[in-house]
Amino acid sequence: MRRTPAFALAATLIGGVTAAVTAPVAAAPVAAAADSPVGFASVNALGQNGTTGGAGGPEVTVTNADDFIANIKAAGPRVVRVQGLITLPAGMYDVSSDKTITGVGASSGITGGGLNVGLPVSGATTPPADAVHNVIIRNMVFRNASDDSINVQMFSHHVWIDHNDLASGYDGLIDIKRGSSYVTVSWNHTHHHTKNMLLGHDDKNGAQDTGYLKVTYHHNWFDKTPQRNPRVRFGNPVHVFNNYYFDNSDTGVACQARSGCWVEGNYFEDVEEPMTNSYSGPRGNIVERNNVYVGESGSPDIGGSSGVEDPARYYQYTVDGPGDVKTLVTRGAGTGRI
């Protein structure tokens, strides 16, 4: 049963969208189309100053699976432009450092497989010298992945995942784990999927994850995705601002396992439990500021705010008024907007 809303605003419900690849309705330009990331992907850390992807390298347009796979894993900086919806064999495909992967138009991307940004899994507890870094994934459609749509792992850092449309995968749509850090997830539209975004994969992985998993989620449209919006372990701070949550039947932000979530300026509409630090397993910590709860949204379940780092210690950012977030995000998130 849904809880009593913290407060209510007049709202127009948004109907469901299909998982088919369709061009978005034309909209006036909004502030979504930035040329560089806001948030942790912009920070100077771990020997990388911001995230530039394949800038300065060759630019290649790919239209088939073989060329796509070869170019995303090639050595050196490269901009890989994806033309059309490419069908990949089932599996995860490695992305190497210094890459920009971007779709052409509103309907280009991949189906059948997913992207892996990171070295093979090991028990390392410090970043290796060859950790995958400086990767941009933008304006891509992801459908029917046989595993994760996007997986970031093994101390990968400075990754910007922006303006994508993700749906109908097998496991996570965007999972970030095993010591990865300095990641921004922005202006994505996720829908027709249950296990949306995971940050930190296991309650027992503190030795590898503590001090890492610094991620910013902003201006994403979590569209009827029941859970993991995101589900967080160990990361601190994890900055969740100006996202639009619509009809999430389980939870919005689930912050646990000693993590610290800074949740501000979001718009929650018909969300069963907008945020919680007691979802499952060890508790996390949440700072809750200036969020909007409308329709049948429940009340925030928060606590332990003194343990959460302020993201403003790491980077500058501007929070849009939470009452404007629904309009901004539905106009600006997803493909075909940049």
Side-chain angles (χ1 to χ4, degrees):
M1 179 179 295
R2 297 185 185 275
R3 299 177 180 179
T4 303
F7 59 91
L9 296 175
T12 301
L13 296 181
I14 297 176
V17 295
T18 68
V21 180
T22 57
V25 177
V30 295
D35 293 326
S36 58
V38 172
F40 275 112
S42 71
V43 173
N44 186 352
L46 300 176
Q48 176 72 31
N49 189 2
T51 303
T52 57
E59 183 174 309
V60 59
T61 298
V62 298
T63 59
N64 62 71
D66 288 344
D67 289 344
F68 176 80
I69 293 166
N71 278 279
I72 65 173
K73 70 178 182 181
R78 186 168 301 197
V79 176
V80 182
R81 293 171 51 83
V82 178
Q83 178 77 59
L85 190 66
I86 296 174
T87 299
L88 301 179
M92 299 295 294
Y93 295 92
D94 290 339
V95 180
S96 61
S97 297
D98 305 312
K99 293 294 178 294
T100 296
I101 303 170
T102 184
V104 177
S107 303
S108 294
I110 60 174
T111 182
L115 300 183
N116 179 65
V117 182
L119 299 173
V121 170
S122 78
T125 56
T126 57
D130 60 345
V132 178
H133 61 280
N134 195 30
V135 172
I136 297 173
I137 302 169
R138 296 188 89 187
N139 202 47
M140 290 278 288
V141 170
F142 291 85
R143 292 290 186 274
N144 303 314
S146 59
D147 193 343
D148 294 332
S149 296
I150 301 174
N151 175 58
V152 182
Q153 69 177 20
M154 289 310 300
F155 298 98
S156 293
H157 59 94
H158 291 88
V159 179
W160 185 23
I161 301 169
D162 178 70
H163 276 96
N164 302 292
D165 183 303
L166 306 100
S168 304
Y170 175 76
D171 197 358
L173 292 182
I174 301 175
D175 284 1
I176 302 166
K177 57 197 180 188
R178 296 185 181 275
S180 297
S181 208
Y182 299 101
V183 179
T184 293
V185 179
S186 57
W187 296 100
N188 300 286
H189 183 197
T190 60
H191 54 100
H192 290 88
H193 191 81
T194 298
K195 296 182 290 186
N196 194 22
M197 299 184 186
L198 186 67
L199 179 58
H201 74 290
D202 192 274
D203 291 345
K204 299 179 181 179
N205 206 54
Q208 194 172 58
D209 288 339
T210 301
Y212 300 98
L213 301 182
K214 298 184 188 303
V215 179
T216 304
Y217 299 87
H218 73 86
H219 293 92
N220 299 290
W221 182 1
F222 300 129
D223 187 1
K224 297 186 177 181
T225 49
Q227 59 172 297
R228 301 187 182 182
N229 297 303
R231 181 176 180 181
V232 178
R233 297 176 174 95
F234 298 109
N236 188 8
V238 175
H239 192 192
V240 182
F241 77 94
N242 282 160
N243 300 283
Y244 175 44
Y245 291 81
F246 175 65
D247 196 15
N248 312 109
S249 58
D250 190 358
T251 62
V253 185
C255 194
Q256 60 190 95
R258 305 196 304 275
S259 58
C261 299
W262 193 282
V263 185
E264 62 178 325
N266 301 283
Y267 193 109
F268 295 93
E269 182 172 359
D270 293 333
V271 181
E272 177 77 21
E273 193 165 28
M275 65 191 75
T276 174
N277 71 333
S278 58
Y279 178 70
S280 176
R283 286 177 176 265
N285 307 285
I286 297 177
V287 167
E288 186 271 346
R289 291 188 175 181
N290 201 28
N291 297 285
V292 166
Y293 307 91
V294 303
E296 296 185 35
S297 291
S299 300
D301 174 19
I302 60 176
S305 61
S306 62
V308 184
E309 291 188 64
D310 186 343
R313 294 178 53 194
Y314 293 86
Y315 53 81
Q316 295 182 337
Y317 64 97
T318 300
V319 180
D320 292 315
D324 298 328
V325 165
K326 176 178 177 177
T327 299
L328 287 171
V329 171
T330 55
R331 288 175 58 205
T335 57
R337 309 298 194 184
I338 59 175

